[in-house]
Amino acid sequence: MRKPYIAANWKMTKTIEETEEFIRSFIPLVKDINDVDILIAPPFTALSAASSLLKDTNIKLGAQNMYFEENGAYTGEISPRMLLSAGCSTVIIGHSERRQYFQETDEIVNKKIKLARANNLEVILCIGESLEEREANKTFEVLENQLAGSLKDLSLDEITIAYEPIWAIGTGKTASKEQANEAHTCVREWLRKNKDGADDVRIQYGGSVKPDNVVELMSQPEVDGALVGGASLEAESFSKIVAGAVKK
Ligand code: PEP
């Protein structure tokens, strides 16, 4: 059975002090939950402080993005080695906000994943359709194209897929459990057809996950976890999501 995996994407919120405050209150709330993998992805500036507090806990540290070159004259960018030295085990790649506001294509996402894996960082790859694409019945086609482009020439080792319908991110609109499971099934089938080890890959759902809808979403056979934005910003709310992710 795939172990449930809940990740927090804090986006451009929380200073170092706010990160420390969150982590201090969050650790005791989840310390006895061993059946769920937990990850927090604060902004770059708070990674190092977060790493010190998370040492010897059951909570992993992730970054929200990285660049696709090892080092050099790329002002403002962050390399995988920098993430490792800040204490990250994982990096989120291809979030829809990166694709939408920073013109990240599947080709760029593919380069980033290759470099992350070459540096032994685990990856959460985000994919998902827009509302227009869903309404035009193109959801599966979009997901398959994103998977093919993003995972070109890559194995599935240490890769988690986050299915995040763009229309459900930060909007309060959650995909129904059936919509989530159907999209995850499409992802799983594509992985089975094209890669080895597809059945071990965890597929998270992302899009307005909250304490009161996580149990229903997690009841679906193909939903292995969640990538959470808004509801991960408060320790109590995020701890309830983690607790609700234990598979019954
Ligand atoms: C996200 O940012 O990946 C996300 C799913 O956000 P929210 O939970 O706020 O919809």
Side-chain angles (χ1 to χ4, degrees):
M1 204 176 82
R2 295 178 291 267
K3 187 174 179 184
Y5 184 7
I6 301 292
N9 172 18
W10 286 354
K11 313 191 185 190
M12 198 173 71
T13 73
K14 294 202 192 288
T15 61
I16 295 172
E17 294 76 15
E18 289 161 351
T19 298
E20 289 173 333
E21 193 188 331
F22 175 105
I23 291 175
R24 286 203 180 92
S25 18
F26 183 64
I27 289 173
L29 299 176
V30 297
K31 71 175 181 0
D32 297 324
I33 304 181
N34 297 309
D35 301 339
V36 177
D37 282 337
I38 309 168
L39 178 122
I40 296 176
F44 291 133
T45 47
L47 287 175
S48 189
S51 168
S52 306
L53 291 175
L54 293 177
K55 206 170 284 162
D56 301 323
T57 70
N58 55 341
I59 305 157
K60 301 197 295 181
L61 183 66
Q64 300 171 21
N65 180 34
M66 55 163 252
Y67 197 51
F68 54 75
E69 295 286 350
E70 289 279 6
N71 69 327
Y74 303 103
T75 302
E77 293 295 338
I78 301 279
S79 76
R81 276 185 58 235
M82 293 169 190
L83 298 184
L84 289 166
S85 94
C88 293
S89 63
T90 307
V91 59
I92 298 171
I93 294 183
H95 191 280
S96 62
E97 288 152 16
R98 302 287 322 165
R99 294 175 187 261
Q100 189 179 350
Y101 304 131
F102 302 96
Q103 288 74 49
E104 275 190 20
T105 59
D106 289 328
E107 201 183 337
I108 291 173
V109 168
N110 181 247
K111 283 198 211 174
K112 290 187 175 190
I113 301 177
K114 281 183 178 149
L115 192 62
R117 292 301 307 125
N119 283 273
N120 272 328
L121 280 164
E122 296 169 16
V123 169
I124 297 178
L125 161 64
C126 303
I127 57 171
E129 81 287 1
S130 66
L131 187 58
E132 300 74 62
E133 289 163 341
R134 174 161 283 269
E135 285 174 349
N137 281 327
K138 290 200 167 144
T139 299
F140 293 170
E141 185 186 325
V142 169
L143 298 180
E144 288 167 0
N145 286 339
Q146 287 178 331
L147 288 167
S150 307
L151 294 175
K152 189 165 182 278
D153 301 327
L154 276 159
S155 82
L156 296 176
D157 291 347
E158 309 297 353
I159 292 183
T160 296
I161 311 285
Y163 166 63
E164 301 207 303
I166 297 169
W167 48 272
I169 297 180
T171 57
K173 282 188 201 158
T174 318
S176 68
K177 60 183 195 303
E178 292 82 11
Q179 284 172 322
N181 199 61
E182 182 185 66
H184 287 212
T185 302
C186 160
V187 171
R188 182 85 57 207
E189 277 170 10
W190 187 93
L191 295 176
R192 279 189 190 131
K193 256 187 237 147
N194 293 282
K195 305 276 176 188
D196 292 332
D199 288 309
D200 297 328
V201 173
R202 289 179 290 187
I203 308 176
Q204 298 171 323
Y205 167 77
S208 300
V209 174
K210 302 181 206 74
D212 62 9
N213 60 22
V214 66
V215 174
E216 175 171 285
L217 287 160
M218 289 300 295
S219 72
Q220 298 303 293
E222 288 296 346
V223 178
D224 304 314
L227 179 55
V228 188
S232 73
L233 294 173
E234 292 205 348
E236 199 164 315
S237 149
F238 190 49
S239 71
K240 284 185 187 156
I241 292 176
V242 172
V246 177
K247 283 269 187 187
K248 303 282 172 336

